[in-house]
Amino acid sequence: MSTSASALAIEKQVELLTGVEDKYGGIILEIEKYMDSEVFLSLLRASLSQRKQQGKRAVWIKLPIEFVNLVEPTVKEGFKYHHAETDYLMLVKWIGESADTIPNNASHRVGISAFVMNEKREFKRRVASSKEQVSGNSPTGVVDEIDTEFVEILAFRQSHQSFFTKSDLLFMCMLRPLSFDIQKQDREIEAAQWMSVDDYAEQPFIQKHDSFRGVAKVCLTKSEKEYAGFSPVPRTTTASGKTSYLYFNSRDVNKL
Amino acid sequence: MSTSASALAIEKQVELLTGVEDKYGGIILEIEKYMDSEVFLSLLRASLSQRKQQGKRAVWIKLPIEFVNLVEPTVKEGFKYHHAETDYLMLVKWIGESADTIPNNASHRVGISAFVMNEKREFKRRVASSKEQVSGNSPTGVVDEIDTEFVEILAFRQSHQSFFTKSDLLFMCMLRPLSFDIQKQDREIEAAQWMSVDDYAEQPFIQKHDSFRGVAKVCLTKSEKEYAGFSPVPRTTTASGKTSYLYFNSRDVNKL
């Protein structure tokens, strides 16, 4: 490509490298249209010097996987990988004068092991993937068709570096069934096998592994109504104004 | 590159695409030497058909950032991004007959807010980055030079999608100082300002924000020795034999 053709391309496509500012003095450039890697490189260099003049400290580039041709030129301009999901790669370059304060990537996968306990100390459990997130809301649909309400986090388990460099956090959640009309209950018993907590805890495979035994002990204690886990209280965070949830032993706090 | 030169290169470099098997029927190929992208592509195609014949279900490729030239050919062979860290990109292709069971990427960043409380109900706190991990071991060095011992998790806070698509989990940890010789203590008071829990809780910026107020309330309750958080018990997991930690309200479990 000749210099003048390249300059023309920049003129025409310059809006593609506009970005969205973040709260930390950074700018996020999202590439949404196919670009020739040479055109992209010219635009990127121009953007970097413009953003530096504006006093920006970090430049982020989100590259959808279909624009994989732009990964190599981006890295050659001094960008590092930050994180990736199936369909995109996020890269970042620190252009600030001060020391780099680029935030960490996610380090943990989060899973949920849901225990639904009814009034008769019977329960059933299901492990949910980390895509279904822990929240203070009722995790509708997590346990078959039963309407449930979130009670509390009974316990959690951390396993270090269980998957490449990532660690796992598994939250054991206690849920309470919301509706109990007979017809529904019959179907559920058939489909999902309610089991008494005692029968659950006495199973050989539970007794054999101390990890399962520990969880069963917590469930037994809970079924005797003597156990306080962590329950969520919605809190508004200060910086972003978004709602976060604080989980703590509210029984003990309210006793004071 | 001519076909014969390319074939020779494959002959010479074929050991580079050997891999390490994982526990789930996958193979992890780690690229450790620079390769021309055409040579790489030939090797990759040969590897894919070999691994399919072996009955492998997933092929992983770990590409250090210095081999960014290989990202584009890998994606063009049908690989998707899985995750990335500063210095490498992990890609994966499902080659199994059954439905894809590729594990999720990490979804959460984990931070620690450490509260060190002494016998006089004075405490100080420090927020640690998510690089310092939650564990049952004494997090030596987390709080200045004080030797501390981990007591328990008092509470945790979850904020959804606080950073791109990733969520934050902040664990509030109670630590106990281990050593208290006078000389050391003097230095520490000067350097790190021990503060009474009551003074801490009464500060206007704490009272103003319900998130901070919630945490302060938990600390106050704890200082009155009426609060049970989650404490860790090491457990051996069944599948990998690695040690994981189960965190639960052990005071209530042991009361049974």
Side-chain angles (χ1 to χ4, degrees):
Chain A
M1 190 180 280
S2 73
T3 312
S4 64
S6 171
L8 185 67
I10 293 172
E11 192 110 324
K12 282 172 77 179
Q13 299 197 31
V14 75
E15 79 279 8
L16 293 180
L17 287 199
T18 53
V20 177
E21 298 197 7
D22 68 21
K23 293 173 297 193
Y24 314 102
I27 188 93
I28 305 158
L29 309 175
E30 197 158 338
I31 311 304
E32 286 164 340
K33 284 185 196 165
Y34 177 82
M35 261 186 266
D36 173 81
S37 59
E38 268 186 70
V39 173
F40 171 75
L41 195 57
S42 308
L43 288 170
L44 182 56
R45 284 176 181 160
S47 286
L48 280 170
S49 86
Q50 175 205 12
R51 298 306 179 179
K52 215 176 151 73
Q53 277 176 354
Q54 288 173 350
K56 295 289 170 218
R57 304 191 304 158
V59 177
W60 299 85
I61 295 190
K62 185 176 175 180
L63 286 179
I65 195 165
E66 56 267 36
F67 309 139
V68 64
N69 64 311
L70 306 181
V71 177
E72 193 172 352
T74 305
V75 168
K76 291 203 166 146
E77 279 307 298
F79 282 74
K80 299 276 184 192
Y81 301 142
H82 187 270
H83 66 273
E85 297 298 330
T86 304
D87 56 350
Y88 76 86
L89 175 60
M90 184 71 82
L91 300 104
V92 64
K93 182 176 182 172
W94 184 256
I95 57 169
E97 300 292 329
S98 54
D100 146 22
T101 57
I102 293 167
N104 291 329
N105 189 3
S107 55
H108 285 66
R109 298 189 302 169
V110 170
I112 295 172
S113 185
F115 297 85
V116 189
M117 196 170 336
N118 66 23
E119 302 286 302
K120 295 181 284 182
R121 296 184 62 237
E122 293 168 337
F123 86 142
K124 53 183 176 178
R125 72 183 275 270
R126 191 192 140 199
V127 178
S129 82
S130 72
K131 278 167 188 158
E132 296 165 273
Q133 290 178 305
V134 189
S135 89
N137 302 325
S138 164
T140 313
V142 162
V143 181
D144 309 321
E145 315 80 17
I146 312 170
D147 282 332
T148 57
E149 152 182 79
F150 179 85
V151 180
E152 64 181 5
I153 306 276
L154 293 177
F156 63 88
R157 193 179 70 204
Q158 172 161 247
S159 318
H160 281 301
Q161 306 210 332
S162 50
F163 174 69
F164 297 115
T165 61
K166 308 296 184 179
S167 298
D168 276 336
L169 274 169
L170 183 67
F171 287 89
M172 325 289 169
C173 301
M174 179 59 67
L175 309 182
R176 185 190 296 129
L178 277 180
S179 56
F180 258 107
D181 62 280
I182 304 292
Q183 200 193 349
K184 216 177 172 186
Q185 201 184 2
D186 280 350
R187 237 191 14 240
E188 280 161 7
I189 288 166
E190 223 171 20
Q193 296 160 347
W194 287 95
M195 184 182 244
S196 85
V197 181
D198 307 284
D199 289 349
Y200 173 78
E202 280 162 17
Q203 292 171 104
F205 84 93
I206 299 285
Q207 286 301 316
K208 202 173 150 193
H209 301 296
D210 55 3
S211 179
F212 296 155
R213 211 164 54 229
V215 175
K217 218 167 153 186
V218 168
C219 287
L220 272 172
T221 313
K222 183 68 199 176
S223 74
E224 303 289 351
K225 301 192 198 306
E226 297 279 351
Y227 185 87
F230 283 2
S231 45
V233 176
R235 304 277 168 181
T236 310
T237 50
T238 52
S240 63
K242 281 177 86 176
T243 302
S244 63
Y245 287 86
L246 186 68
Y247 290 77
F248 58 94
N249 179 340
S250 53
R251 186 195 66 187
D252 284 5
V253 166
N254 295 330
K255 242 188 348 198
L256 189 69
Chain B
M1 188 182 277
S2 73
T3 312
S4 65
S6 173
L8 185 67
I10 292 172
E11 190 110 326
K12 281 172 79 179
Q13 299 196 34
V14 75
E15 78 278 8
L16 293 181
L17 285 200
T18 54
V20 177
E21 298 194 8
D22 68 20
K23 292 173 298 193
Y24 313 102
I27 187 93
I28 305 157
L29 309 175
E30 196 157 340
I31 312 303
E32 287 165 340
K33 283 183 197 167
Y34 177 81
M35 262 187 267
D36 173 81
S37 59
E38 269 187 68
V39 173
F40 170 75
L41 196 56
S42 308
L43 288 170
L44 182 57
R45 285 176 179 160
S47 286
L48 280 171
S49 84
Q50 175 205 13
R51 298 305 179 180
K52 216 175 152 70
Q53 277 176 354
Q54 289 173 350
K56 295 288 168 218
R57 305 190 303 156
V59 178
W60 299 84
I61 296 191
K62 185 177 175 179
L63 286 180
I65 195 166
E66 57 267 35
F67 309 139
V68 64
N69 63 309
L70 306 181
V71 176
E72 193 173 351
T74 305
V75 168
K76 292 203 165 147
E77 279 307 297
F79 282 74
K80 298 275 183 193
Y81 302 141
H82 187 271
H83 66 273
E85 298 297 330
T86 304
D87 55 351
Y88 76 85
L89 176 60
M90 184 72 81
L91 299 105
V92 66
K93 182 175 181 170
W94 184 255
I95 57 169
E97 300 293 329
S98 54
D100 148 20
T101 57
I102 293 167
N104 291 330
N105 189 5
S107 55
H108 284 66
R109 299 189 302 168
V110 170
I112 295 172
S113 185
F115 297 86
V116 188
M117 197 175 329
N118 66 24
E119 301 287 302
K120 295 180 285 182
R121 296 184 62 239
E122 293 168 338
F123 87 141
K124 53 184 176 177
R125 72 182 276 269
R126 193 196 137 195
V127 178
S129 82
S130 72
K131 279 168 186 155
E132 297 166 273
Q133 290 177 305
V134 189
S135 90
N137 302 324
S138 163
T140 313
V142 162
V143 182
D144 309 321
E145 316 80 18
I146 311 170
D147 283 332
T148 56
E149 150 182 79
F150 179 86
V151 180
E152 64 182 5
I153 306 276
L154 293 177
F156 63 87
R157 193 179 70 204
Q158 174 161 248
S159 318
H160 280 302
Q161 307 211 332
S162 51
F163 173 69
F164 297 115
T165 60
K166 308 297 184 180
S167 299
D168 276 335
L169 275 169
L170 183 67
F171 287 89
M172 325 289 170
C173 302
M174 178 59 66
L175 310 181
R176 185 188 294 130
L178 278 180
S179 57
F180 258 107
D181 62 281
I182 305 291
Q183 202 194 347
K184 216 177 171 185
Q185 201 183 0
D186 279 352
R187 238 190 16 236
E188 281 161 8
I189 289 167
E190 223 172 21
Q193 295 159 344
W194 287 94
M195 183 181 245
S196 85
V197 180
D198 307 284
D199 288 349
Y200 173 78
E202 280 161 17
Q203 293 170 103
F205 84 93
I206 298 287
Q207 286 300 315
K208 200 173 150 193
H209 301 296
D210 56 2
S211 179
F212 297 154
R213 210 165 55 230
V215 174
K217 218 166 153 188
V218 168
C219 287
L220 271 172
T221 313
K222 183 68 198 174
S223 74
E224 304 288 350
K225 300 190 200 308
E226 297 280 350
Y227 185 87
F230 283 2
S231 46
V233 176
R235 304 275 166 183
T236 310
T237 50
T238 52
S240 63
K242 279 177 89 177
T243 301
S244 62
Y245 288 86
L246 186 69
Y247 291 76
F248 58 94
N249 179 342
S250 53
R251 187 195 65 186
D252 283 5
V253 166
N254 295 330
K255 244 189 343 202
L256 190 70

